[in-house]
């Protein structure tokens, strides 16, 4: 799982797929028709409430293994191909996290440079790489929130806030020194080991510009 090295020392588990209809049986998930994209959007806070209620449901399980997993679960984040929005006044949001409840939602919809149009049958290599980079940037950003990091206002950083795709694309995959120290204090990882694992993952998925950044940091440690 390519996100794991960014939060080294944590165990990652991929849970079963759920449709919005299935999730709505646990908590209603409202939707609307977007006026600017002509697409269906889902209310992100409702999805967060579903994730929280799903976590609470583990308390009623009889299987001790499942109960143990609930007790050790740090956070839960959902991935969707649907477009999402945080409230009626907003057009959309890339992702949303609730730090207090340790749940987050991440949408891939706007990672695609062809959005809201359908993707062509054959996409350029550069387009696929852009989607992959954007997806990795958004999920690591949202997970950063769940580990206690707020939007960074000090340096160019993974945790910079963004109001549109251009701003999001300007944020890097790495943390600034301040946010890195906060995360390290939380997770107790070894910085050199973390950088090495992230570099290897980025090389494997051919994000070489970012991989080279982490290599340079390794050489300076």
């Amino acid at each position: 799982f390519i996100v794991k090295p960014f939060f080294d020392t944590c165990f990652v588990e991929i849970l079963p797929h759920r449709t919005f209809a299935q999730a709505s049986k646990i908590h209603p998930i409202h939707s609307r028709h977007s006026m600017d994209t002509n697409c269906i959007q889902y209310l992100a806070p409702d999805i967060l409430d579903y994730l929280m209620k799903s976590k609470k449901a583990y308390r009623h399980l009889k299987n001790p293994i499942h109960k143990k997993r609930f007790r050790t679960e740090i956070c839960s984040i959902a991935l969707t191909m649907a477009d999402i929005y945080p409230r009626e006044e907003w057009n959309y949001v890339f992702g949303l996290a609730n730090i207090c409840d340790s749940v987050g939602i991440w949408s891939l919809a706007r990672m695609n440079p062809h959005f809201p149009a359908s993707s062509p049958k054959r996409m350029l290599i550069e387009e696929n790489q852009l989607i992959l980079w954007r997806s990795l940037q958004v999920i690591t950003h949202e997970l950063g929130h769940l580990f206690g990091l707020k939007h960074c206002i000090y340096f160019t950083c993974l945790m910079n806030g963004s109001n549109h795709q251009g701003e999001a694309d300007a944020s890097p995959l790495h943390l600034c020194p301040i946010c890195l120290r906060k995360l390290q204090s939380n997770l107790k990882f070894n910085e050199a080991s973390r950088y090495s694992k992230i570099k290897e993952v980025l090389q494997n998925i051919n994000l070489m510009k970012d991989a080279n950044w982490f290599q340079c940091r390794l050489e300076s440690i």
Side-chain angles (χ1 to χ4, degrees):
F1 192 54
I2 62 175
V3 174
K4 186 182 185 305
F6 287 82
F7 303 91
D8 199 20
T9 72
C10 289
F11 172 76
V12 178
E13 180 180 4
I14 300 178
L15 299 177
H17 168 266
R18 291 287 183 272
T19 65
F20 285 108
Q22 291 171 325
S24 293
K25 294 179 180 178
I26 296 178
H27 183 84
I29 297 179
H30 295 86
S31 62
R32 71 180 184 185
H33 200 83
S34 173
M35 298 297 292
D36 59 333
T37 65
N38 201 33
C39 297
I40 297 297
Q41 294 179 300
Y42 293 88
L43 187 59
D46 283 349
I47 303 173
L48 298 185
D49 288 339
Y50 157 73
L51 291 174
M52 189 58 199
K53 289 185 176 180
S54 297
K55 290 175 64 178
K56 288 181 178 178
Y58 287 133
R59 297 176 183 172
H60 306 292
L61 296 175
K62 295 181 179 180
N63 190 322
I65 296 179
H66 291 167
K67 287 185 177 181
K68 181 179 180 181
R69 188 183 71 184
F70 176 80
R71 290 196 303 269
T72 59
E73 185 178 78
I74 299 174
C75 60
S76 178
I77 188 166
L79 162 67
T80 180
M81 296 298 295
D83 200 22
I84 58 177
Y85 66 104
R87 54 179 180 265
E88 287 299 328
E89 301 82 32
W90 285 48
N91 292 332
Y92 68 92
V93 70
F94 296 119
L96 189 67
N98 184 322
I99 298 176
C100 294
D101 292 332
S102 299
V103 291
I105 172 67
W106 159 46
S107 171
L108 278 176
R110 293 176 184 264
M111 305 297 101
N112 191 333
H114 296 281
F115 181 86
S118 300
S119 298
K121 292 183 179 181
R122 297 187 64 180
M123 294 182 65
L124 299 175
I125 294 177
E126 293 80 7
E127 292 175 329
N128 284 321
Q129 288 297 104
L130 178 60
I131 292 173
L132 181 58
W133 186 93
R134 285 175 171 175
S135 302
L136 186 57
Q137 194 269 348
V138 170
I139 193 172
T140 49
H141 176 99
E142 294 304 325
L143 281 169
H145 285 315
L146 296 184
F147 283 103
L149 300 180
K150 296 183 179 181
H151 282 153
C152 180
I153 59 173
Y154 302 104
F155 299 99
T156 300
C157 175
L158 171 67
M159 296 310 299
N160 291 149
S162 61
N163 292 314
H164 55 78
Q165 190 65 67
E167 287 184 347
D169 287 345
S171 297
L173 289 181
H174 59 266
L175 294 169
C176 74
I178 293 175
C179 293
L180 178 64
R181 184 66 186 90
K182 292 176 181 178
L183 188 65
Q184 198 277 335
S185 177
N186 192 340
L187 298 182
K188 311 299 181 186
F189 52 73
N190 176 275
E191 291 91 340
S193 175
R194 177 179 179 272
Y195 279 166
S196 180
K197 292 175 183 178
I198 293 175
K199 182 201 71 170
E200 183 177 353
V201 165
L202 295 175
Q203 287 176 334
N204 289 340
I205 58 177
N206 204 32
L207 294 179
M208 298 308 300
K209 179 180 178 181
D210 298 279
N212 290 338
W213 187 94
F214 284 96
Q215 177 60 40
C216 288
R217 296 303 302 150
L218 278 170
E219 293 172 357
S220 66
I221 293 178

